[in-house]
Amino acid sequence: MSMAQSPEPLDVDRERTRTGMSKTALKQGFLDNLFYIQGRFREVATPHDLYMAAAYTTRDRILERWIKSAQRYKTNQSRTVCYLSAEFLPGPHLANNLVNLGIVETATEAAHELGLDFDAIIAEEAEPGLGNGGLGRLAACFMDSLSTLQIPSIGYGIRYEFGIFDQTIEDGWQVEKSDNWLRNGNPWEIPRPKIRFPVLYGGYTEQYRDHDGRSRTRWVPAQIIDGVAYDTPILGYGVGNVNLLRLWKAEASESFDFQAFNVGDYYGAVHAKIEAETISKVLYPNDEPEAGKELRLKQQFFFVSCSIQDMIRLQFNTVGPLDSFAEKFVIQLNDTHPSLAIAELMRLLMDEHDMDWDRAWDITHRVFCYTNHTLLPEALETWSVSLFERLLPRHLEIVYEINRHFLDEVRVHFLGDEDRVRRMSLIAEDGERRVRMANLAVVGSRAVNGVAALHSELVKTTLFKDFHDFWPDRFHNVTNGVTPRRFMVVANPRLSRLISETCGSDDWIRDLDRLRDLEAHAMDSGLHERWHEVKIAAKRDLAAWLKHRTGVLLDPEAIFDVQAKRIHEYKRQHLNLLHIIRCYQRLKQSPNQDMVPRAFIFGGKAAPGYFMAKLIIKLINAVAEVINNDPQINGFIRVVFMPDFNVKNGQHLYPAANLSEQISLAGKEASGTGNMKFSMNGALTIGTLDGANVEIREEVGKENFFLFGMSAEEVSQRQREGYHPWEHYAKDAELKSDIDLINSGLFSHGDTQLFRPLTDRLVNQDPFMVLADYRAYIACQDHVAEAYRDHRHWTRMSILNVARMGKFSSDRAIREYAEHIWRTEPHPIDL
Ligand code: GPU
């Protein structure tokens, strides 16, 4: 039974005493939960018991608002945004929920009076790592903003039993450990065992005549698996609205099992259970490119099928007939991973709900919208027709039929242009026939958007040029944003307090443009001093954290120069490394030179099968070992790799950074969102004109941004002309000596071969033009060092960066989706 069906109005007074916000109520709630849920008394409670009691005490207070929201949304029949995403990276919930409830101070005092270490309780929570990187974290930021903006919404995804692997570093190499995040229980989720849908796979289709004599298609599957809903409440900041993150867990279908049971195959029946459960067992750890594995396709169809069936159920429960489905719902596809939803909705409307093709298609293409997150060809999903047919025979028929209708239109519009038809087809016919998921997503959606201005332009002019020629109005831009609740208030309470005091209000937390009020104080020496103190304090905290985990000691006075993101060649962590080696060589050549001390900090995971990315991690750690232990360097520069970069650990990084490395090859990073998180916390950016960097620079002013490197245009021109990296290597003596130093074995205990695959690739292919941008990067880094010497000037730039970050709130992004794409309205739930 869904909450939306709760029959009784709430007894608000009863709820308030049970879930009051006063310090006394919090203390009582905490002790009750420790006793009745954890079954513990104070003296024997473990840190984990204390965390669980705190989490339940917080959740109790959210549930009241949740039920109210569900009741209101139901009676209002409100239009609902369904955000379909194979990944969600919400980060630990406790601290964020306390912020959004507005009870951080009360809870801190309550904990103090109970003699508890509040920070230790917060730190106890496991990271829900149900995503790889930017795409999954964006989904979580959007959920926060949807609730804060009071827009009814449901995030649909997969409840992976194992999320993204835990990264440890052993002998400088990345080692992956499985992420058993549910081991100690998850107090934030509520299982809904009765919200369960069958998901079908395999088998065949057949035609039959229904009682009206119409020809219909029946899908006879070979396997049925159940999806069961697990709900996590997503509370908005300072509002009564609570939306739903509904994640599906795969279970064996009871009815299906019984068949095996009846013929006495008990063992086989249990085996089928295990196989069913593998579907939601583990997240694929590839962050573009795609894995292309059969289980991945099964996962995608699994969560998509459950989600569409759930929406149809909700439609019947609230509005009624399916004709208004596209008025009740809008479905946003977070990349192509959920784009099977287009075929699945068609199937359900036609095969299960008796609609003809035209009515079903009318609803389907009006309900879907699609966000593209990459132009990298290797990241664009395609599935071989034979695999697709084996797993989803009915959906292949539907895809063919969509394609037939679509290509007919194209042929009418572009008479005789069969080349274009071939390019636009949902099926790639060159070589092994494959289904192009991006083409399916564009054809099945009424709106398509990129995630930053430059990216959306490139989407229109390169990747989807043919589609843009055909449907120019379908294409939009919505520049990404991040939530200031998580990345400022939770991660950086010191800075947040300082901003609120300086601006005379904390309104900026819900209206990030208000940060502009800081500009009036950008020259104020009192603010400068406190701004500097806040940054130094965060640097000390990070230094202590890193010392404890890696043994490397950083000097808080040094420039904290940070690159934290997935390890990928296009993101060019190795360009950063070449600069570090340059600094090292300079110091070795003239030890007495007046160099500004720097701490180079890296964080990020490599896909387990991505050899070159793993070699880059090894090289970072190898360079760190040599530099950090060279007495001649004497700590002037230090290099450290933060193990297991994730949302939780990232919260230590953003507040402490002075310099944010956003150095991808122009045209390759769709948006980037780390760039926004660093800048909001007062770091200056060194970056290329890529993704959202372009707009960040526009906002903060070019004098407050360290720009270097080729533009996207220059990149494609160079590529057209023919790019020869070895010419740079041969001509630039410093570049040559930096690369030669890697090959000398200095960083690899004399092994001259270890890093050869990396250096050979740079000199011979260099697909991401590291060598072409090397000289400009080094020069720009020299400017950074000079600028850092002038503390007043640097601090002023830092303040202006924060003051001008309003645009990059995910609240702004969600407002744009709501207004231009979804056409949804807020439904306030009063407190
Ligand atoms: N992104 Br496609 C991912 O994190 N994973 C993916 O599989 C794909 C894209 C990222 C983009 O690389 C990044 O530029 C962007 O900011 C982010 O999605 C959110 O849009």
Side-chain angles (χ1 to χ4, degrees):
M1 177 87 32
S2 81
M3 304 159 325
Q5 291 165 335
S6 163
E8 286 168 359
L10 282 177
D11 177 349
V12 172
D13 288 339
R14 191 195 71 219
E15 292 295 320
R16 291 240 181 279
T17 40
R18 171 74 179 73
T19 60
M21 298 292 182
S22 71
K23 192 166 60 184
T24 321
L26 284 175
K27 287 196 320 199
Q28 191 55 52
F30 175 85
L31 294 171
D32 279 359
N33 283 325
L34 188 62
F35 192 96
Y36 292 109
I37 293 193
Q38 290 306 103
R40 294 282 201 206
F41 53 95
R42 268 303 308 279
E43 288 70 14
V44 298
T46 64
H48 180 255
D49 291 323
L50 300 175
Y51 157 70
M52 291 295 266
Y56 280 112
T57 307
T58 308
R59 193 185 89 171
D60 289 341
R61 280 146 185 83
I62 297 173
L63 285 186
E64 188 188 334
R65 301 180 186 200
W66 189 4
I67 289 165
K68 247 190 175 179
S69 304
Q71 283 178 332
R72 273 291 292 282
Y73 292 171
K74 186 177 185 210
T75 36
N76 292 355
Q77 306 195 347
S78 27
R79 183 161 161 81
T80 303
V81 177
C82 296
Y83 198 84
L84 265 59
S85 180
E87 304 189 5
F88 286 93
L89 274 176
H93 293 284
L94 177 55
N96 195 246
N97 280 329
L98 292 172
V99 163
N100 284 11
L101 280 170
I103 57 169
V104 175
E105 269 171 44
T106 326
T108 314
E109 283 168 27
H112 186 74
E113 287 177 18
L114 289 171
L116 301 169
D117 179 345
F118 194 55
D119 292 338
I121 289 177
I122 302 262
E124 190 62 31
E125 185 169 348
E127 163 102 356
L130 309 183
N132 276 287
L135 173 133
R137 179 56 229 180
L138 186 78
C141 284
F142 282 4
M143 291 303 294
D144 178 272
S145 287
L146 280 162
S147 295
T148 299
L149 296 178
Q150 310 187 296
I151 298 172
S153 54
I154 305 174
Y156 280 113
I158 300 174
R159 182 178 175 276
Y160 299 106
E161 193 176 325
F162 294 89
I164 186 68
F165 61 85
D166 292 336
Q167 178 194 56
T168 62
I169 302 297
E170 290 172 28
D171 187 28
W173 295 97
Q174 165 175 295
V175 174
E176 302 92 22
K177 305 273 157 77
S178 67
D179 160 53
N180 195 356
W181 71 292
L182 292 168
R183 183 175 33 219
N184 299 323
N186 174 6
W188 303 103
E189 69 181 7
I190 298 186
R192 305 281 184 203
K194 297 294 179 188
I195 302 184
R196 173 188 292 268
F197 297 101
V199 179
L200 285 49
Y201 295 101
Y204 56 91
T205 65
E206 58 189 20
Q207 306 292 315
Y208 69 101
R209 296 220 167 259
D210 65 13
H211 39 259
D212 299 326
R214 283 187 304 167
S215 168
R216 305 274 300 268
T217 303
R218 172 160 49 222
W219 176 14
V220 184
Q223 190 185 19
I224 302 180
I225 286 164
D226 279 359
V228 180
Y230 282 69
D231 290 348
T232 302
I234 305 292
L235 168 68
Y237 173 77
V239 294
N241 295 61
V242 176
N243 289 325
L244 197 60
L245 175 60
R246 176 161 284 173
L247 303 178
W248 302 101
K249 174 181 190 286
E251 287 185 4
S253 149
E254 307 247 314
S255 53
F256 209 66
D257 254 26
F258 263 114
Q259 295 174 4
F261 236 124
N262 288 340
V263 296
D265 186 9
Y266 174 72
Y267 192 86
V270 173
H271 185 78
K273 268 193 199 304
I274 295 172
E275 204 186 280
E277 281 163 15
T278 52
I279 289 190
S280 58
K281 188 64 75 180
V282 56
L283 167 80
Y284 277 97
N286 308 61
D287 175 82
E288 46 183 322
E290 268 295 317
K293 292 286 193 304
E294 174 169 340
L295 182 59
R296 169 82 173 170
L297 186 58
K298 282 187 116 175
Q299 288 184 335
Q300 294 182 351
F301 180 64
F302 167 71
F303 94 90
V304 150
S305 177
C306 291
S307 306
I308 301 286
Q309 291 182 71
D310 194 39
M311 291 165 59
I312 291 175
R313 177 188 66 95
L314 289 168
Q315 170 81 11
F316 285 133
N317 279 350
T318 55
V319 192
L322 285 171
D323 299 81
S324 61
F325 189 80
E327 283 69 50
K328 165 70 186 163
F329 292 108
V330 51
I331 305 177
Q332 189 68 40
L333 302 173
N334 197 25
D335 213 86
T336 56
H337 317 141
S339 57
L340 284 169
I342 293 164
E344 176 67 349
L345 180 58
M346 286 298 288
R347 180 186 74 87
L348 289 166
L349 293 180
M350 294 190 302
D351 298 358
E352 308 275 324
H353 297 280
D354 292 354
M355 277 189 200
D356 62 28
W357 179 275
D358 291 341
R359 258 176 82 208
W361 182 250
D362 176 63
I363 291 175
T364 299
H365 101 274
R366 284 189 299 119
V367 84
F368 284 103
C369 306
Y370 154 58
T371 305
N372 172 278
H373 295 265
T374 188
L375 302 166
L376 295 185
E378 65 270 29
L380 295 176
E381 271 190 300
T382 61
W383 294 103
S384 86
V385 165
S386 63
L387 169 61
F388 201 108
E389 182 168 35
R390 187 154 50 75
L391 232 46
L392 302 166
R394 178 62 180 133
H395 296 79
L396 186 64
E397 291 173 0
I398 292 171
V399 167
Y400 281 159
E401 191 61 11
I402 295 174
N403 203 33
R404 194 176 64 77
H405 284 259
F406 164 60
L407 294 182
D408 280 351
E409 281 184 59
V410 173
R411 287 197 173 96
V412 169
H413 202 274
F414 300 98
L415 271 179
D417 193 348
E418 278 304 308
D419 233 20
R420 186 182 290 263
V421 170
R422 225 185 334 275
R423 292 195 305 265
M424 294 177 81
S425 173
L426 304 192
I427 310 294
E429 310 269 359
D430 44 335
E432 192 201 16
R433 298 177 70 235
R434 303 184 71 85
V435 182
R436 295 165 165 156
M437 302 307 271
N439 296 27
L440 173 62
V442 174
V443 172
S445 300
R446 69 175 158 78
V448 177
N449 75 284
V451 290
L454 171 67
H455 170 67
S456 298
E457 242 355 86
L458 294 171
V459 161
K460 290 194 285 190
T461 54
T462 62
L463 181 62
F464 294 141
K465 181 176 184 312
D466 294 324
F467 291 92
H468 181 252
D469 290 345
F470 193 36
W471 293 310
D473 298 337
R474 193 169 293 198
F475 291 84
H476 304 258
N477 172 248
V478 182
T479 299
N480 282 167
V482 303
T483 170
R485 272 74 66 182
R486 166 77 54 182
F487 292 105
M488 299 182 76
V489 184
V490 174
N492 201 345
R494 291 190 194 95
L495 183 67
S496 300
R497 265 194 303 275
L498 178 56
I499 292 172
S500 296
E501 281 172 34
T502 308
C503 299
S505 125
D506 61 8
D507 289 351
W508 60 272
I509 299 169
R510 83 183 78 246
D511 177 7
L512 206 64
D513 288 325
R514 296 291 294 274
L515 287 174
R516 286 267 175 195
D517 295 352
L518 285 170
E519 279 196 37
H521 308 270
M523 300 295 272
D524 172 348
S525 60
L527 178 61
H528 274 220
E529 208 163 293
R530 297 178 70 195
W531 197 268
H532 180 70
E533 272 166 24
V534 162
K535 184 59 84 179
I536 282 280
K539 290 165 80 172
R540 283 201 195 96
D541 285 354
L542 176 64
W545 193 98
L546 286 169
K547 175 80 179 76
H548 177 69
R549 279 163 181 82
T550 68
V552 178
L553 182 62
L554 303 183
D555 169 10
E557 298 293 331
I559 304 179
F560 276 28
D561 175 335
V562 189
Q563 187 169 20
K565 50 182 81 246
R566 287 295 288 242
I567 312 294
H568 205 300
E569 289 167 279
Y570 85 78
K571 296 177 190 280
R572 301 199 296 191
Q573 279 89 358
H574 39 359
L575 178 58
N576 189 340
L577 268 172
L578 288 175
H579 170 243
I580 297 172
I581 293 170
R582 183 92 307 268
C583 292
Y584 177 65
Q585 300 226 66
R586 283 179 185 165
L587 276 170
K588 294 300 276 186
Q589 277 148 19
S590 22
N592 295 323
Q593 71 171 282
D594 178 25
M595 188 183 277
V596 183
R598 273 213 216 211
F600 297 96
I601 304 164
F602 291 87
K605 294 175 186 178
Y610 187 175
F611 168 72
M612 208 53 85
K614 293 178 113 171
L615 195 58
I616 290 174
I617 293 179
K618 172 66 177 172
L619 181 57
I620 293 169
N621 286 302
V623 169
E625 187 188 309
V626 168
I627 291 182
N628 298 345
N629 294 307
D630 187 330
Q632 235 188 341
I633 299 301
N634 196 20
F636 245 86
I637 55 175
R638 282 265 149 96
V639 183
V640 60
F641 190 92
M642 169 192 253
D644 207 32
F645 173 62
N646 56 19
V647 177
K648 184 178 179 181
N649 294 334
Q651 288 174 196
H652 298 285
L653 228 35
Y654 302 115
N658 298 117
L659 187 66
S660 156
E661 298 272 353
Q662 306 301 337
I663 59 178
S664 51
L665 177 65
K668 299 295 177 192
E669 189 71 271
S671 161
T673 45
N675 44 8
M676 303 167 189
K677 295 163 197 169
F678 280 108
S679 192
M680 274 181 193
N681 283 281
L684 305 190
T685 304
I686 181 165
T688 49
L689 281 179
D690 200 13
N693 295 354
V694 177
E695 290 155 83
I696 290 176
R697 178 166 173 268
E698 254 164 42
E699 291 292 307
V700 304
K702 61 182 195 303
E703 66 285 5
N704 301 308
F705 185 106
F706 296 99
L707 175 71
F708 76 96
M710 292 180 284
S711 65
E713 191 111 12
E714 286 162 345
V715 167
S716 43
Q717 196 184 329
R718 281 295 292 274
Q719 256 144 10
R720 276 196 306 273
E721 292 164 2
Y723 172 57
H724 308 296
W726 57 88
E727 292 174 0
H728 292 279
Y729 173 78
K731 275 192 207 133
D732 187 325
E734 289 189 331
L735 170 60
K736 177 169 187 306
S737 115
D738 293 341
I739 290 176
D740 290 351
L741 196 65
I742 298 173
N743 288 335
S744 75
L746 174 73
F747 303 119
S748 37
H749 303 272
D751 183 342
T752 57
Q753 296 307 302
L754 182 62
F755 296 114
R756 269 287 174 172
L758 188 57
T759 51
D760 283 351
R761 189 157 161 88
L762 282 179
V763 175
N764 298 320
Q765 289 137 25
D766 195 17
F768 302 105
M769 297 179 144
V770 172
L771 303 200
D773 274 343
Y774 167 88
R775 197 29 70 194
Y777 181 59
I778 300 288
C780 191
Q781 283 286 18
D782 292 341
H783 285 305
V784 169
E786 281 319 301
Y788 195 75
R789 287 182 198 277
D790 184 348
H791 276 279
R792 261 195 75 76
H793 183 58
W794 185 280
T795 303
R796 182 165 177 277
M797 291 196 288
S798 166
I799 294 170
L800 289 178
N801 260 263
V802 175
R804 297 169 179 177
M805 286 304 289
K807 175 172 177 185
F808 303 101
S809 168
S810 44
D811 297 345
R812 187 271 315 147
I814 289 300
R815 258 191 221 103
E816 289 182 7
Y817 277 102
E819 189 180 331
H820 303 300
I821 296 187
W822 299 333
R823 296 176 212 123
T824 46
E825 303 275 299
H827 287 252
I829 306 296
D830 26 72
L831 287 171

